[in-house]
Amino acid sequence: MNPKQLEVFGIIAFDGVIKNGLRLHPDGEHLLHPMGNNITIKKVKTGEQSFLTGHKNVVSALNISPCGNLVASGQVNHPGFKAMVILWDFEKRKMKANYEVHKVRVEDVCFTNDGLYLISLGGRDDGCIVVWDVQKGNPLCSTIAGKESSGQAITIARTNIQNASFVTAGDETFKVWRVDPKKRKVHGMDVKIGKIRRAINCIVVDNLDENVYCGTTSGDIIHARLYLTESNEESPKYPIMIGCYSKVPSGKKTKTYEGEVYAGGVTNILFLQKQEMIVGTGNGTVELIEISKELVAPIGIKTKKLLVTPRIITYRTGNVCATVTSMIRYKHDLILIGTTSCEIFEMELSSFKTRLLVTCHTSAIYDIAFPRNRSEIFATSGKHDIRVWKLATQKELLRISVPNFICSSLCFDRNGGTIISAWSDGAIRRFALNGGKLLFIICRAHTKSVSAITITNDDCRLVSGDCYGQIRLWNAKSETGQLLNIFKEHRGPVTSVHISPDDKNVISSSVDGTCIVLDLSNFSRKFVLRGNTMYLATCFVPSGVQILTCGTDGKIAYWETLDGSLVREIEGSTTGALSTINVSHDGQYFLTGSEDLLVKLWEYRTANIVGLGLTHAAPITASAFAPNSKSIITVSADGAIILWKYPFETSSTPDNEIEIPKTVCVS
């Protein structure tokens, strides 16, 4: 029986590292951005999401045709393999065409102004430009993007009037191109920039195709004049640089003073009108500027540094606290800004007031947990923080920050009012869900990093495990962190701990190849489960009569709780370790996630795969069933949170509403 693919209804992720990865559809109603192997299409008003799925590796470039009916994307691949470029039908949300010409990586993609041709630029291992005929569905021509003496081209920008022209730039390379469909060639002309040497990050062409502006890694802006003709022949004049501008320093009015450059380089430019534009920089500064109309040094002033004389006038300044990678105009008075911190900001042009719209984890997520009787919220743990999310809107409700430490595991108490968490500094911290206030901390709960934690169903005892293989029992009611017992038999890090439904036993898994079942009444060993693997996760089934385990050998094992005997062993994955396993609340199904990026939903009784998830782009680290059995959530090493629809109908009672304040950071 072929398993059905699990349906995704939400993804909490934004890959802000990709330059110009945030795109606004020409209809003004949809935002597009890459997320791992997929492209997310989000309706701005409702937040409804749909996805373009087809890439086999991480998406590295994205663009939308001028008319909006097509979307193009490129990806990264392993060294020695071809990287795919896909052309999508936006309305049908389906792949229209694809080609694999570039080696290893597609650096950028761009449509020509008339939408007839798709231009793709290869990365360092390729260095080629490919022109794809959109109507005929085949390549028109290709050429080398730059000379051997120059560096790599990394970005493309189309012209706004000329139908078959575009501009490329990068490390000491800056060229204007024209496509000749009759001769099946593409002609390139170097922009004459004299002796200046710059690495260009971004390009923007003005509305009349007369001028092009480039942001550089050195923090200044290059201004060049384009000489484009309407004929298909090459321009009689070569494009030439007008100047390389820096900022007018505040409080300095002397004409011979050298200008100030942008810290971190100019990483993105958004053209507004005439000489006005928005500049985004490497240190998060966003400025509204105007290029000075004075293009030469005044008569009588002797200076040898004409190329760095101040020419930029700043009107407004803001900051988004991270490198700006994307900027798009939204409506009349708003711009949307994407950053390397995987955040999207909304900024008003009139006042430069900034509001955070989208945020997500920027690195691996280590654990996920729901309150026991509520499904409308869930919490995730990662580097530096714990985040609480609203399931319906995928919005962050609360952020609890502990700088410089990793939260490796977390759980909710029975009432869902507090979060108990395990940290890499060896501490156990308990926070209030309402506001994120630190209620108590057990400092040095373990000698080294605490790797796993759980609480009994009656909220009386805490069980924690560390990276040295030690398990400790705590009084959960004590605010001073009363230690009740210690158990040490594991010879490797503890990867998970789980309490039995009747609160009588706890099972721990370890990379030493053992799972130990302890009697909670006296904290003594009942029996040991052994296997030829490093166990990464284990759990009791809801009835408590059996135990499920998984590990690096890719196998799923059923064990009897009564005596620890092996009942069944099945192949969970043939290519990667199984890192997480969870059983549904009715006990009929269980979920596994693996390092081969696959999410599998199994029928517990028959051990058949009934659902398959293919959306993740990084190894899966944790998973959870919602208490109302309507959704499944999985998280991965790239910081993505993926929400899946539970494929079977269940009868469940409505969740109790819970009030949580807006996003708060607690240190």
Side-chain angles (χ1 to χ4, degrees), residues 15-78:
D15 192 348
V17 177
I18 299 174
K19 63 179 183 295
N20 294 318
L22 180 64
R23 299 280 186 175
L24 180 67
H25 193 270
D27 63 10
E29 297 181 357
H30 295 87
L31 284 176
L32 285 78
H33 61 82
M35 197 294 302
N37 296 9
N38 308 286
I39 298 166
T40 301
I41 302 174
K42 184 176 182 179
K43 199 165 185 178
V44 179
K45 291 183 179 179
T46 63
E48 180 184 353
Q49 291 180 330
S50 57
F51 308 97
L52 302 178
T53 304
H55 283 286
K56 299 176 182 177
N57 212 317
V58 178
V59 176
S60 59
L62 177 67
N63 206 303
I64 307 172
S65 64
C67 60
N69 61 339
L70 297 175
V71 176
S73 58
Q75 70 172 51
V76 180
N77 211 340
H78 303 290

Side-chain angles (χ1 to χ4, degrees), residues 148-453:
E148 293 183 0
S149 58
S150 62
Q152 175 196 357
I154 62 170
T155 183
I156 312 173
R158 65 170 171 254
T159 53
N160 297 305
I161 297 178
Q162 299 297 321
N163 289 332
S165 297
F166 59 95
V167 182
T168 63
D171 185 10
E172 296 187 16
T173 178
F174 187 11
K175 302 185 75 171
V176 179
W177 302 82
R178 180 184 295 280
V179 178
D180 188 345
K182 294 182 179 179
K183 297 181 180 180
R184 299 180 67 89
K185 288 184 179 180
V186 57
H187 304 283
M189 295 178 291
D190 289 299
V191 178
K192 292 185 176 182
I193 58 176
K195 296 182 179 180
I196 189 173
R197 295 291 180 266
R198 289 291 188 273
I200 296 173
N201 286 326
C202 54
I203 317 170
V204 62
V205 182
D206 70 2
N207 298 329
L208 300 177
D209 290 349
E210 294 177 351
N211 302 286
V212 59
Y213 302 92
C214 305
T216 69
T217 56
S218 53
D220 43 24
I221 296 176
I222 291 176
H223 174 203
R225 176 79 69 179
L226 299 179
Y227 293 99
L228 299 176
T229 59
E230 297 181 0
S231 64
N232 289 330
E233 298 179 0
E234 294 187 29
S235 293
K237 294 183 180 180
Y238 274 81
I240 188 170
M241 185 184 72
I242 302 298
C244 186
Y245 308 139
S246 52
K247 293 193 295 181
V248 175
S250 57
K252 303 284 185 179
K253 296 184 179 180
T254 173
K255 296 180 180 180
T256 59
Y257 189 86
E258 292 186 8
E260 295 178 352
V261 296
Y262 289 99
V266 178
T267 56
N268 207 274
I269 299 176
L270 177 63
F271 190 82
L272 298 180
Q273 58 184 355
K274 296 182 180 180
Q275 304 294 324
E276 289 189 356
M277 58 190 74
I278 304 291
V279 172
T281 67
N283 69 344
T285 300
V286 180
E287 290 190 348
L288 173 62
I289 67 165
E290 182 181 0
I291 301 294
S292 173
K293 295 181 180 180
E294 188 180 358
L295 302 178
V296 295
I299 298 174
I301 295 180
K302 296 181 180 180
T303 175
K304 295 181 180 179
K305 297 183 178 181
L306 295 178
L307 298 178
V308 292
T309 51
R311 300 297 180 197
I312 298 174
I313 302 173
T314 302
Y315 294 117
R316 294 187 186 89
T317 301
N319 200 291
V320 291
C321 304
T323 300
V324 177
T325 54
S326 304
M327 290 194 300
I328 55 176
R329 187 79 176 265
Y330 179 60
K331 295 183 178 178
H332 176 68
D333 192 43
L334 298 174
I335 59 171
L336 301 181
I337 303 170
T339 72
T340 53
S341 293
C342 301
E343 295 176 329
I344 300 176
F345 292 87
E346 179 186 85
M347 181 177 284
E348 294 182 6
L349 278 175
S350 57
S351 62
F352 259 49
K353 291 182 179 179
T354 305
R355 183 168 68 97
L356 180 62
L357 291 183
V358 175
T359 183
C360 59
H361 284 277
T362 59
S363 57
I365 301 174
Y366 297 97
D367 201 8
I368 180 174
F370 275 96
R372 295 180 192 174
N373 299 315
R374 295 188 174 101
S375 302
E376 75 274 10
I377 62 167
F378 63 94
T380 55
S381 67
K383 189 176 181 180
H384 307 314
D385 56 36
I386 297 171
R387 304 192 187 198
V388 180
W389 308 86
K390 188 170 183 179
L391 183 64
T393 60
Q394 293 107 56
K395 296 288 186 180
E396 181 182 303
L397 299 176
L398 177 71
R399 187 185 306 183
I400 304 168
S401 299
V402 181
N404 304 321
F405 297 114
I406 295 172
C407 181
S408 55
S409 182
L410 54 79
C411 61
F412 285 88
D413 65 359
R414 180 175 57 184
N415 297 323
T418 62
I419 303 172
I420 303 101
S421 55
W423 294 83
S424 59
D425 61 345
I428 295 173
R429 294 176 171 88
R430 189 167 190 164
F431 300 95
L433 182 60
N434 190 351
K437 180 182 177 181
L438 178 64
L439 299 179
F440 74 77
I441 177 174
I442 307 175
C443 295
R444 298 183 182 179
H446 288 261
T447 308
K448 295 292 182 181
S449 173
V450 188
S451 56
I453 196 166

Side-chain angles (χ1 to χ4, degrees), residues 346-644:
E346 179 186 85
M347 181 177 284
E348 294 182 6
L349 278 175
S350 57
S351 62
F352 259 49
K353 291 182 179 179
T354 305
R355 183 168 68 97
L356 180 62
L357 291 183
V358 175
T359 183
C360 59
H361 284 277
T362 59
S363 57
I365 301 174
Y366 297 97
D367 201 8
I368 180 174
F370 275 96
R372 295 180 192 174
N373 299 315
R374 295 188 174 101
S375 302
E376 75 274 10
I377 62 167
F378 63 94
T380 55
S381 67
K383 189 176 181 180
H384 307 314
D385 56 36
I386 297 171
R387 304 192 187 198
V388 180
W389 308 86
K390 188 170 183 179
L391 183 64
T393 60
Q394 293 107 56
K395 296 288 186 180
E396 181 182 303
L397 299 176
L398 177 71
R399 187 185 306 183
I400 304 168
S401 299
V402 181
N404 304 321
F405 297 114
I406 295 172
C407 181
S408 55
S409 182
L410 54 79
C411 61
F412 285 88
D413 65 359
R414 180 175 57 184
N415 297 323
T418 62
I419 303 172
I420 303 101
S421 55
W423 294 83
S424 59
D425 61 345
I428 295 173
R429 294 176 171 88
R430 189 167 190 164
F431 300 95
L433 182 60
N434 190 351
K437 180 182 177 181
L438 178 64
L439 299 179
F440 74 77
I441 177 174
I442 307 175
C443 295
R444 298 183 182 179
H446 288 261
T447 308
K448 295 292 182 181
S449 173
V450 188
S451 56
I453 196 166
T454 189
I455 190 170
T456 56
N457 299 305
D458 58 7
D459 281 355
C460 292
R461 289 164 291 180
L462 282 174
V463 180
S464 60
D466 65 18
C467 62
Y468 278 176
Q470 192 176 89
I471 302 171
R472 296 190 175 190
L473 183 66
W474 306 86
N475 182 359
K477 300 293 185 181
S478 171
E479 294 185 1
T480 59
Q482 181 185 3
L483 179 63
L484 301 178
N485 217 326
I486 299 176
F487 181 83
K488 177 69 174 74
E489 280 195 18
H490 285 300
R491 297 183 179 181
V494 176
T495 54
S496 69
V497 288
H498 194 255
I499 302 289
S500 63
D502 58 6
D503 276 350
K504 293 182 179 180
N505 303 310
V506 61
I507 185 169
S508 61
S509 63
S510 173
V511 297
D512 64 359
T514 63
C515 293
I516 299 177
V517 177
L518 301 174
D519 190 332
L520 275 177
S521 61
N522 54 18
F523 217 57
S524 62
R525 184 184 70 185
K526 294 185 68 174
F527 53 80
V528 181
L529 313 178
R530 300 183 187 275
N532 188 24
T533 183
M534 292 188 288
Y535 287 111
L536 300 179
T538 183
C539 64
F540 288 94
V541 299
S543 62
V545 298
Q546 287 187 337
I547 297 167
L548 295 180
T549 61
C550 65
T552 54
D553 61 352
K555 295 182 179 179
I556 303 166
Y558 293 57
W559 308 82
E560 287 289 348
T561 306
L562 183 63
D563 56 3
S565 59
L566 180 63
V567 178
R568 173 191 284 176
E569 192 173 60
I570 58 176
E571 196 75 49
S573 174
T574 57
T575 57
L578 293 176
S579 53
T580 177
I581 190 166
N582 273 284
V583 186
S584 62
H585 298 278
D586 57 9
Q588 297 183 28
Y589 303 94
F590 67 91
L591 188 76
T592 60
S594 60
E595 292 183 355
D596 60 6
L597 320 184
L598 296 179
V599 176
K600 295 180 180 178
L601 183 65
W602 306 74
E603 188 177 12
Y604 178 77
R605 184 179 59 84
T606 62
N608 291 327
I609 302 175
V610 294
L612 190 64
L614 308 172
T615 305
H616 277 288
I620 298 156
T621 54
S623 61
F625 286 91
N628 61 5
S629 298
K630 292 182 178 180
S631 57
I632 300 167
I633 299 182
T634 55
V635 296
S636 57
D638 61 352
I641 304 172
I642 299 185
L643 290 65
W644 314 83

Side-chain angles (χ1 to χ4, degrees), residues 68-138:
N69 61 339
L70 297 175
V71 176
S73 58
Q75 70 172 51
V76 180
N77 211 340
H78 303 290
F81 293 88
K82 300 286 187 179
M84 182 184 294
V85 176
I86 298 180
L87 192 64
W88 307 89
D89 187 311
F90 178 79
E91 293 297 330
K92 297 180 180 178
R93 307 291 199 268
K94 291 184 178 180
M95 186 188 303
K96 183 176 181 179
N98 68 85
Y99 60 92
E100 293 181 327
V101 178
H102 298 289
K103 299 176 183 177
V104 183
R105 178 185 177 92
V106 177
E107 198 68 45
D108 203 357
V109 291
C110 182
F111 288 92
T112 55
N113 183 50
D114 54 10
L116 296 180
Y117 305 104
L118 170 65
I119 316 298
S120 59
L121 175 64
R124 185 181 301 275
D125 298 278
D126 183 77
C128 289
I129 290 175
V130 174
V131 180
W132 179 269
D133 193 319
V134 173
Q135 292 182 337
K136 296 181 180 179
N138 54 37

